């Protein structure tokens, strides 16, 4: 029993205490934000380039971007279902006799004509790199504290400008020989020191260390802390590669970062990074955790793998294969020496037998 309740019971109620001030919770604030956004913005029609796209059976998640920003979008099934081609019937033609052949031919001709017309009028594909025009309502997703656009319409308008710039740069670098297979360097004969250019505080270095430790192969891992995303990442990667080459300690370089959207991995498709990778005197393994699309660094590197862990596994596999080859070579040499020794013994015995028989 509190002091005020005790006092009121025995000495009268007197003046009531001031009620405690109530503050709204997080969910209430989120609700207020959601209502304010929907009322003030309502339905919006915007254009942008798709820089990430994840398709699930009931919903699509995509990111629209331009040179100044990005926004997350969700596409309900009722919207994207109209964009998907109609499914073929699960029930095949019964093949009953007596069908009118001329009618069948006419129907086949009409079907072929319709298919050709449909092919000619096929709208541009909705994919990463597509420029799209969308209409939707701004939603604030309280549980995740995120802003997104829930689309009611989406229409592809062809390739986006950024994607076209990417393709133009890729073709120019290809013509200049930066992606030539003949320029790829093999791993050096001795693999002892591995340089890792990646963020110092990410999970990448820990994944590589754990993989190497479990293998039992005594690689010497040298971390070169490198900014791999955001403003300044391009210059940081170039400086790291140049420094590792000047230092001259490492036998191979792993250029790595974790996964991300096409937007966050754009630095690995910059001309400066591609040229720095190509110019490296030490073989470079690109271990950029990416989505379906690969970066231009993957094309220019001597080796390209899907994840940083896969880069460590590549080196481990190379060392083990070399050890196995050396073991097979030593075993063959041992067998050859045994055969030669046996042949020598047989020759001596044969000579002894020949001399004795005379």
């Amino acid at each position: 029993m509190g002091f005020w309740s005790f006092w009121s019971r025995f000495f009268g109620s007197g003046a009531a205490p001031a009620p405690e001030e109530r503050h709204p919770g997080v969910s209430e604030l989120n609700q207020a934000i959601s209502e304010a956004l929907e009322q003030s913005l309502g339905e919006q029609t915007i254009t942008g380039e798709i820089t990430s796209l994840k398709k699930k059976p009931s919903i699509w998640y995509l990111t629209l971007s331009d040179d100044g920003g990005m926004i997350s979008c969700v596409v309900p099934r009722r919207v994207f279902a109209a964009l998907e081609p109609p499914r073929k019937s699960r029930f095949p033609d019964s093949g009953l006799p007596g069908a009118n052949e001329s009618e069948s031919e006419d129907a086949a001709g009409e079907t072929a004509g319709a298919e050709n017309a449909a092919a000619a009028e096929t709208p541009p594909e909705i994919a990463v790199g597509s420029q799209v025009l969308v209409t939707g309502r701004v939603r604030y997703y309280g549980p995740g504290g995120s802003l997104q656009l829930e689309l009611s319409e989406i229409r592809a308008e062809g390739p986006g400008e950024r994607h076209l710039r990417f393709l133009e740069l890729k073709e120019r670098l290809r013509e200049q020989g930066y992606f030539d297979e003949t320029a790829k360097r093999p791993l050096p004969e001795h693999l002892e020191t591995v340089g890792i250019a990646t963020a110092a505080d990410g999970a990448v270095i820990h994944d590589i260390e754990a993989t190497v430790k479990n293998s039992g192969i005594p690689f010497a891992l040298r971390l070169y802390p490198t900014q791999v995303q955001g403003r300044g990442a391009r210059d940081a990667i170039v400086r790291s590669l140049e420094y590792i080459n000047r230092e001259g300690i490492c036998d191979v370089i792993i250029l790595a970062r974790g996964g991300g959207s096409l937007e966050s991995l754009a630095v690995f498709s910059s001309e400066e990074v591609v040229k720095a990778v190509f110019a490296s005197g030490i073989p470079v393994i690109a271990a950029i955790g990416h989505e379906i699309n690969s970066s231009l660094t993957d094309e220019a590197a001597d080796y390209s793998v899907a994840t940083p862990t896969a880069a460590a596994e590549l080196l481990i596999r190379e060392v083990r294969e070399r050890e196995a080859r050396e073991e097979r070579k030593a075993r063959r040499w041992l067998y050859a020496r045994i055969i030669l020794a046996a042949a020598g013994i047989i020759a001596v015995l044969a000579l002894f037998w020949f001399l004795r028989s005379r």
Side-chain angles (χ1 to χ4, degrees):
M1 181 183 296
F3 173 77
W4 183 256
S5 300
F6 176 82
W7 183 272
S8 299
R9 171 175 288 187
F10 291 97
F11 300 101
S13 59
E20 293 183 3
E21 184 178 1
R22 183 184 178 279
H23 298 284
V26 173
S27 58
E28 292 173 288
L29 176 60
N30 282 343
Q31 181 64 27
I33 293 173
S34 177
E35 293 175 356
L37 286 173
E38 292 185 24
Q39 291 175 4
S40 61
L41 295 177
E43 194 171 69
Q44 299 287 324
T45 298
I46 62 172
T47 183
E49 184 173 335
I50 299 177
T51 51
S52 72
L53 175 61
K54 293 182 180 179
K55 296 182 178 181
K56 295 189 175 182
S58 60
I59 196 167
W60 288 2
Y61 297 96
L62 59 88
T63 301
L64 289 185
S65 306
D66 59 18
D67 289 333
M70 64 176 66
I71 186 169
S72 299
C73 303
V74 294
V75 189
R77 178 165 181 78
R78 66 178 183 276
V79 177
F80 70 75
L83 306 173
E84 297 179 330
R87 295 182 179 180
K88 294 182 178 180
S89 173
R90 294 187 296 111
F91 304 100
D93 184 5
S94 61
L96 292 175
N100 190 310
E101 294 182 1
S102 60
E103 291 180 0
S104 299
E105 292 175 358
D106 293 341
E110 292 176 1
T111 302
E115 288 178 352
N116 292 335
E121 299 176 0
T122 299
E125 183 183 5
I126 294 178
V128 172
S130 299
Q131 188 76 15
V132 293
L133 181 69
V134 303
T135 300
R137 301 188 70 87
V138 177
R139 305 290 191 191
Y140 184 76
Y141 181 64
S146 60
L147 190 71
Q148 58 191 19
L149 195 63
E150 184 178 317
L151 304 187
S152 56
E153 294 182 23
I154 178 170
R155 186 177 78 233
E157 298 185 319
E161 292 184 5
R162 304 172 79 190
H163 184 62
L164 291 175
R165 292 199 298 266
F166 169 84
L167 295 178
E168 180 185 358
L169 175 61
K170 183 176 182 178
E171 185 58 30
R172 178 160 56 84
L173 293 175
R174 185 184 304 281
E175 291 175 355
Q176 294 173 359
Y178 285 97
F179 305 146
D180 286 353
E181 289 297 323
T182 56
K184 309 293 185 187
R185 292 155 295 189
L187 293 173
E189 191 65 28
H190 299 287
L191 283 172
E192 298 176 355
T193 305
V194 181
I196 305 169
T198 191
D201 56 351
V204 169
I205 185 63
H206 301 294
D207 292 343
I208 294 176
E209 287 177 340
T211 303
V212 170
K213 183 179 180 180
N214 292 335
S215 72
I217 297 177
F219 286 124
L221 302 180
R222 292 178 62 86
L223 172 64
Y224 296 85
T226 306
Q227 181 184 346
V228 290
Q229 66 179 9
R231 188 182 300 274
R234 180 190 61 194
D235 295 336
I237 294 170
V238 172
R239 286 195 302 269
S240 284
L241 293 175
E242 292 175 347
Y243 178 80
I244 297 172
N245 276 270
R246 285 198 307 270
E247 191 180 43
I249 296 176
C250 300
D251 301 310
V252 66
I253 301 171
I254 297 177
L255 176 58
R257 70 149 286 168
S261 65
L262 189 64
E263 187 76 26
S264 63
L265 298 171
V267 64
F268 291 98
S269 289
S270 64
E271 184 172 359
E272 294 81 359
V273 171
V274 168
K275 290 184 175 180
V277 168
F278 185 83
S280 173
I282 302 171
V284 177
I285 301 174
I288 304 162
H290 44 65
E291 296 177 342
I292 298 174
N293 301 82
S294 63
S295 68
L296 297 184
T297 292
D298 290 294
E299 302 276 351
D302 301 288
Y303 297 87
S304 175
V305 294
T307 63
T309 299
E313 291 172 344
L314 169 65
L315 296 178
I316 293 166
R317 185 168 57 253
E318 181 68 20
V319 169
R320 286 178 173 164
E321 288 177 355
R322 290 180 179 181
E323 290 176 347
R325 286 196 297 269
E326 289 297 323
E327 185 177 348
R328 289 194 297 270
K329 182 179 178 182
R331 189 182 297 115
R332 286 196 298 269
W333 175 238
L334 176 62
Y335 292 159
R337 292 178 63 183
I338 292 173
I339 292 171
L340 288 173
I345 293 172
I346 293 172
V348 170
L349 292 174
L351 179 61
F352 176 76
W353 178 81
F354 174 75
L355 294 175
R356 185 176 181 182
S357 62
R358 294 184 63 186

